[in-house]
Structures are given as structure tokens and as C-alpha cells.
Amino acid sequence: MNATALLLTVAGTIGMALFGLFAGLWFTGIDRVLAARMQARIGPPVRQPFIDLSKLLVKQNVVPANAIPWLFNGAPLLALASAITILLYIPMAALPGLPVLGLQGDLVLIMYLLLIPGLAMVAGGLASGSPYATIGAQREMVTMIAYELPLASTVIAFAWKLAQMNVANPFSLSTLAATPIWTLVGPVGFMGLLLLLATMILVVPGELGRIPFDAPEAETEIAGGLLVEYSGRNFALFSLSLAVKTIVVTSLLVALFFPWNLTDFVAISCCPYLASAANAAFFLLKLFVVLFFSVTLVRISVARFRITQVVDVYWKVLGALSIVGLLLVMVDAYVR
Amino acid sequence: MKLSQTLGKSLWAFLFNSGSCNGCEIESVACVTPRYDLERFGIKVVGSPRHADLLLISGPVTRKMAPRLKRVYEQMPEPKIVVCIGTCGTSGGAFYDSYTLVGPVDQVVPVDMYVPGCPPRPEAIIDGVVKVLARLEAKENAAS
């Protein structure tokens, strides 16, 4: 890698980090306003997450007496850094230079990286020395094990289909972005993909720890769970990492199921900048639609699951659904 | 940046019952319902004193709860605001000479604002919080 490419990568990394932070906080604000409107409330201003963040940064940062300070302070940094790292691998709109590290990573890498923010929260929770945080950490680990089965089945279905079509690098994200999966299957496989899409939509709130899968944080029973001892700057870093993770997980769903660009439908040939801007706006629109259906609508419609029910839903219901989807995609390859 | 500018728009509240009859809790929780909707002003009820800026205390302080109240107050990160809700917490109310009481809230932790009433209406609680924020702002203006 020469100096120019290195410099471009560094600049791209900073740019993507800023995009992740800002877009994540904006989408969190939009989610709060929409949720309030659905409950017949007026709700906070859209920039409320930014106000909350600036308040948390001026608050005192308490490190409890029986915490392990280096781990307690390090975990929020690790969570934020790893969330930003995933953002560098995920294909987004067809903009020049995106994704920043696009040629390296694949889906398996992303599945591993997605675990790190959660594991950082677990480490921070266990290091804070509070019994509530310990319960929260155990629940978080159980939740991570639970949603991994439907997520893995979905990824396997995609990779199997691409490998069966003799596409080079079936796990690669650039392959996925270039070949919309819906165009490769017949009617049976289409049904299977719909099941996989429904599964992924319900994996997103689990990844993000939102209602109904927020048993690890459960404010009303274990007082904030994992984050119970966090305050001030550390708490702000955790909320930032959650905001970035919101963008990461929804971008992953968009990259898997809806990789189209606006320029695929409407030819914008007059100038390349306008096309790029239109693609970026279209990508944000896709993110918003996914967030609305998988986070806002779900969290307003249902109450929190108990931790045992979280495992039941992810393994028995969504696990079965995703495996049926996988089988339908496989059957489709032989019947058409 | 001035503290009151951010704190006033993003005040996270922790409800603490130091021996109340639950009347004040019902009125406090009514503040976050669609009718009053305190989230309009960025006020949010949190589950842990570590996340809180505002401690809403209701009820007279019983002997059992006094050390807990003190601990919860000390666990909150600076800067912190304490609002005492209801007649019981202000003066002891109907239980003023009970042998189970340590006394009103200000015998245990410093209080910034008292909201009288048995129980106070949600409007009164919101008014108390707004007044304490205005006082915080005035204090900062005087200091700068």
C-alpha cells in the first residue's frame, strides 16, 4: 500500500466514523420522535440525542470503588472503536471509495466483529462490580448466543446460493452488493428469502438491545443492567457505540437484501456528483425504512420478553423460520 | 458551555420512594404519560441513580430507608438536583411524630426544591422542576 492509498484510507476512516456517529444519533432522535407520535405524545426534539450526549460529557464520570478501573474505562472505548471498524467493511451507496476497506472483509468477518461491541459491554458490566450489571452481562451473553442462530442461517443461505451460482467469492460483500439475491431465485426461493428477511428484521432489535429484546438492560427490573454503574463520559461513549451500531446493523440488512442504488432505476447521466448524492440520499432512505420497521414499530408494538422467552423466540421461532427459508432457497435451486 | 443549557434540556430523573404511600409515585409517573409528556423537554425516567441528574424523593424518611436514601444520593454523579415531592417529605405530614421516622427528607439529604400537596398534581411537580432549573441558571449567571 503506497502513501496516497494509506492517506485515503485514514481520511475515509475518519469520514465514516463521523458519518456513523452523526447519522446514528439523528436516527436515534427520529426513532424517539416517531415512537412518541405513535403513543399520542409530542416527544422530544429530533436533536435530543445530541443534547443528551453533550450533557453526559459535562457530568461527573464515576468509577465505582469495587470496579476494575482499566477494564471499566476501556470497555466503552473498545465498543465504540469496534462498531466504527465494522462500518468500514459494509458496502453502502455506490460512492467512489466506499466501503473504505471493501476489498478485504467478508460476511464471516462481519459476524465476528458484530460480537465485539456486545462483548465489550459484557466486559465493562462485569468489571463494574455491581450485581445488577453481572446479571445484565449474563443476559447479554445469552442474547448474543440466541440471535446468532437465525443470523448465521441467513448468511449461510446467501453464501450457499451465490456459491451454487458459481459466483467467485460467495462470502464477499462486494459480490453481494453487485448481485441482488432476489434476481437469482425463482418463486420458491423468493418465499424463502421473504422468511429470511422477516428473520433479519427481528434480529436487528436483538443486536441493538432494543425492546422486546432488551432484557440485558431492563431498566425496570435490573436498573439498567450492564450499564447500571456507568455515568458521564463512559456512558456517553456507550450510547455513541450503540448509535454507530444502529447504522452498522441496518446497513448490513440493506446490503444483504436491498443492495440496489437509485442509479439502477433512474439514469442520472448529467453529472457524476449528482448521481452520487442521489445514491447517498437513497441509501439513507433505505436505512430509515429498515429502522422504522425493525426498531421503532417493533418496540412500540410489544412489551419486553423475559430472557428465557428471548432464547425461545430466537431459537425455536426465528431459528425454525430461517432454516425453512434456507431450505426453500436450496429447493428452489433444484426445481426451477 | 453553560451547564444549565444542557442540563435543562436533558434532565434524567430517578424516582426514590423513602416511605411514601405511593400517591406521589402515581402523580410523578403521570408526568411521563401522553397527557403531560415530559419527554417533550428531554426529561426521561432512568433506572439507575448513576444515570440521573434529578432525584425525585417522595414520602417521609423511615428509619429503614434513611441510609439507603443517603447512599442513592451519594451514588449520583455531580451535578445533581434534589426535588422533594409531597407534604410528607416536606414536613412529615400526617406522620410527623411517628416513631418509625427519621424525619423529613432534608434531615437526610440536601433538598433544592419542595413541592407541597398530598399528593401534588403533575402540573405542580413539573412547575417545581422548572423552578429549580431557573434557579440553577440564575446561580450560574451570578457566578459568571
Side-chain angles (χ1 to χ4, degrees):
Chain A
M1 189 185 271
N2 57 27
T4 327
L6 187 67
L7 208 64
L8 271 177
T9 312
V10 171
T13 308
I14 296 170
M16 283 313 286
L18 287 176
F19 162 74
L21 296 174
F22 276 89
L25 288 174
W26 276 116
F27 276 124
T28 313
I30 292 171
D31 164 63
R32 279 178 72 174
V33 172
L34 285 176
R37 294 293 156 90
M38 280 189 249
Q39 291 172 337
R41 293 188 289 121
I42 293 177
V46 180
R47 61 194 173 86
Q48 187 64 40
F50 291 94
I51 305 173
D52 288 349
L53 192 73
S54 55
K55 180 207 69 179
L56 283 174
L57 289 174
V58 294
K59 291 278 286 185
Q60 185 191 6
N61 187 15
V62 182
V63 180
N66 49 356
I68 307 166
W70 66 271
L71 196 53
F72 185 79
N73 290 320
L77 283 174
L78 177 63
L80 182 58
S82 54
I84 292 175
T85 310
I86 315 171
L87 213 53
L88 304 181
Y89 288 106
I90 296 184
M92 296 188 177
L95 297 180
L98 281 186
V100 179
L101 298 176
L103 298 175
Q104 276 94 355
D106 59 14
L107 269 175
V108 181
L109 177 75
I110 295 219
M111 279 182 65
Y112 277 119
L113 282 177
L114 268 176
L115 288 176
I116 295 180
L119 283 176
M121 275 177 79
V122 168
L126 289 175
S128 63
S130 159
Y132 291 117
T134 310
I135 296 173
Q138 289 162 359
R139 289 185 180 182
E140 173 72 25
M141 282 189 280
V142 171
T143 312
M144 280 197 288
I145 296 167
Y147 66 65
E148 213 62 10
L149 173 70
L151 180 64
S153 320
T154 310
V155 168
I156 290 169
F158 276 76
W160 184 88
K161 184 66 205 169
L162 289 174
Q164 193 253 336
M165 300 297 285
N166 284 325
V167 177
N169 300 327
F171 278 103
S172 150
L173 284 158
S174 44
T175 315
L176 275 172
T179 41
I181 192 85
W182 306 91
T183 57
L184 302 179
V185 294
V188 183
F190 191 83
M191 302 271 288
L193 285 178
L194 278 182
L195 289 182
L196 291 175
L197 176 62
T199 313
M200 270 303 279
I201 281 179
L202 289 173
V203 166
V204 169
E207 287 265 12
L208 299 176
R210 307 300 291 266
I211 295 171
F213 303 111
D214 68 335
E217 279 157 45
E219 284 181 355
T220 41
E221 39 177 317
I222 52 170
L226 285 170
L227 302 173
V228 67
E229 293 290 345
Y230 276 98
S231 57
R233 194 191 68 232
N234 283 338
F235 192 49
L237 284 177
F238 266 132
S239 52
L240 274 180
S241 80
L242 185 69
V244 176
K245 213 179 157 190
T246 310
I247 298 295
V248 165
V249 179
T250 40
S251 307
L252 181 63
L253 199 156
V254 165
L256 283 175
F257 287 96
F258 310 109
W260 291 284
N261 284 303
L262 190 62
T263 39
D264 297 345
F265 306 113
V266 191
I268 302 174
S269 50
C270 63
C271 42
Y273 290 113
L274 184 65
S276 294
N279 277 339
F282 187 62
F283 174 72
L284 287 177
L285 182 73
K286 286 191 288 187
L287 279 193
F288 169 74
V289 172
V290 169
L291 264 178
F292 178 77
F293 283 105
S294 67
V295 174
T296 316
L297 200 61
V298 173
R299 87 182 173 100
I300 290 305
S301 316
V302 289
R304 178 187 306 129
F305 285 129
R306 280 199 315 270
I307 187 67
T308 51
Q309 292 169 326
V310 168
V311 178
D312 274 1
V313 166
Y314 274 131
W315 279 11
K316 294 185 186 156
V317 181
L318 294 179
L321 212 62
S322 59
I323 287 172
V324 170
L326 171 62
L327 288 176
L328 284 178
V329 171
M330 286 179 163
V331 167
D332 175 74
Y334 296 107
V335 295
R336 64 192 299 212
Chain B
M1 182 182 287
K2 266 190 197 159
L3 186 61
S4 54
Q5 275 175 353
T6 51
L7 203 61
K9 285 176 188 158
S10 153
L11 201 63
W12 292 0
F14 181 73
L15 305 177
F16 187 88
N17 180 339
S18 63
S20 158
C21 67
N22 232 15
C24 294
E25 271 69 46
I26 292 172
E27 300 300 315
S28 318
V29 171
C31 294
V32 294
T33 55
R35 188 172 180 88
Y36 298 100
D37 188 25
L38 272 185
E39 209 191 356
R40 278 179 297 164
F41 311 118
I43 299 180
K44 170 168 113 167
V45 177
V46 292
S48 159
R50 290 265 194 248
H51 305 167
D53 314 301
L54 169 69
L55 184 60
L56 287 175
I57 307 172
S58 55
V61 185
T62 61
R63 285 187 194 284
K64 204 77 173 169
M65 285 311 266
R68 275 101 179 149
L69 174 57
K70 213 166 180 172
R71 235 179 123 174
V72 164
Y73 175 77
E74 281 161 0
Q75 279 176 341
M76 285 171 64
E78 293 284 349
K80 47 195 166 190
I81 298 170
V82 180
V83 173
C84 169
I85 299 172
T87 306
C88 292
T90 310
S91 64
F95 315 105
Y96 74 101
D97 58 351
S98 168
Y99 62 92
T100 61
L101 292 190
V102 173
V105 171
D106 52 12
Q107 303 275 315
V108 185
V109 293
V111 176
D112 293 299
M113 188 63 70
Y114 300 92
V115 180
C118 184
R121 290 188 59 83
E123 289 95 329
I125 298 173
I126 297 170
D127 190 44
V129 172
V130 170
K131 282 211 168 102
V132 81
L133 282 172
R135 216 174 61 173
L136 185 77
E137 201 165 347
K139 216 155 102 185
E140 275 190 354
N141 287 338
S144 62

